[in-house]
Amino acid sequence: MLPRDPLIGYPDLPDDERVARVQAFEALMRTRRTVRDFAPTPVPRAVIESAIRTAASAPNGANKQPWSFVAVSDPVLKRRIREAAEAEERAFYGGRAPQAWLDALAPIGTDAEKPFLEVAPWLIAVFGVAHGVTPDGGVDKHYYVQESVGIAVGMLLCTLHAASLATLTHTPSPMNFLRDALGRPERERAFVLIVTGHPAVDATVPRLTKKPLEDVAAFIEAG
Ligand SMILES: Cc1cc2nc3c(=O)[nH]c(=O)nc-3n(C[C@H](O)[C@H](O)[C@H](O)COP(=O)(O)O)c2cc1C
């Protein structure tokens, strides 16, 4: 058993203040969009470091923290990632993807061209780590890797949005090339590639709607 600490960070708020805070956060998060047009404006590494620290504080299975984040701003490596991603995406759009998947993507207007992989100042590759390594070289089992990494990526996206940076959740299909391109060990599996930076001044996004609360939530209350 670990030693125990008092809980900090939960001030007792009046409920109207609680509602005001949650609605302010909702308003902020509802302006988040997936952006595919970036400006080349640099973003300080300190911003990316802090965002990754926030993501890496996420809840996770048995606190094994089964993730790694590789932040790339090197233009040579970004170009290599773009070339590899576009090769996969050309195969995907050119026949590997089932027609139903292509039909679902058509309104969003994506294609195999990924210029943002070179234009955006930062690419953050997120890996799920299947297991750790014990000091004697054994396997340290990880639990709920997918769920844990998914929550961490959600926190990463929220944090970057709070810093007024645009994000694109990119999943070139398949993504195995990222492990080799970034020199990661076999036990790591690419989960997602987060592209981030300033949006282009003339960036546009598809006019999407989100399902209303009653379509996605149910409330079962006393009485
Ligand atoms: C797991 C996941 C994978 C995605 N992969 C891609 C992708 O490879 N390329 C892309 O342009 N958008 C990708 N997206 C972005 C979605 O298309 C986008 O989130 C969706 O259309 C909703 O738009 P919004 O994020 O602006 O609300 C992905 C999103 C998620 C959550």
Side-chain angles (χ1 to χ4, degrees):
M1 272 278 274
L2 293 169
R4 300 187 69 82
D5 295 317
L7 183 64
I8 53 167
Y10 292 82
D12 191 18
L13 301 175
D15 277 339
D16 55 355
E17 169 69 13
R18 221 180 286 285
V19 170
R21 286 194 187 194
V22 80
Q23 289 181 345
F25 191 67
E26 178 187 357
L28 172 69
M29 290 314 302
R30 291 200 60 142
T31 60
R32 182 213 57 80
R33 291 300 311 273
T34 293
V35 172
R36 299 177 179 85
D37 302 306
F38 286 83
T41 316
V43 168
R45 172 171 155 164
V47 175
I48 305 302
E49 286 184 356
S50 182
I52 293 175
R53 270 197 301 271
T54 301
S57 73
N60 64 91
N63 200 35
K64 295 294 181 179
Q65 304 167 62
W67 41 55
S68 63
F69 301 83
V70 182
V72 178
S73 66
D74 172 17
V76 176
L77 194 46
K78 286 197 296 181
R79 173 179 289 262
R80 213 176 300 149
I81 290 172
R82 176 182 178 180
E83 286 167 357
E86 287 183 338
E88 296 292 3
E89 295 281 270
R90 274 193 288 273
F92 175 86
Y93 284 94
R96 193 165 58 208
Q99 191 56 44
W101 195 345
L102 295 177
D103 291 347
L105 289 173
I108 297 170
T110 53
D111 59 27
E113 301 304 309
K114 307 296 174 191
F116 47 73
L117 292 174
E118 280 191 85
V119 176
W122 288 100
L123 309 179
I124 307 173
V126 186
F127 293 84
V129 183
H131 65 84
V133 180
T134 59
D136 61 356
V139 167
D140 181 27
K141 195 164 165 28
H142 286 172
Y143 305 95
Y144 292 117
V145 174
Q146 295 289 104
E147 295 83 348
S148 302
V149 181
I151 293 169
V153 169
M155 288 175 60
L156 180 64
L157 297 177
C158 293
T159 306
L160 292 168
H161 186 63
S164 204
L165 289 177
T167 54
L168 164 59
T169 305
H170 188 31
T171 45
S173 175
M175 280 189 284
N176 304 337
F177 71 87
L178 277 175
R179 182 169 48 206
D180 299 332
L182 300 175
R184 306 307 298 178
E186 270 291 305
R187 62 199 168 85
E188 297 196 9
R189 188 186 165 90
F191 185 80
V192 80
L193 183 62
I194 302 297
V195 182
T196 191
H198 295 246
V201 279
D202 56 354
T204 59
V205 287
R207 188 171 298 161
L208 299 177
T209 54
K210 298 295 176 179
K211 294 177 182 174
L213 186 65
E214 54 273 24
D215 287 5
V216 297
F219 292 82
I220 303 169
E221 298 178 272

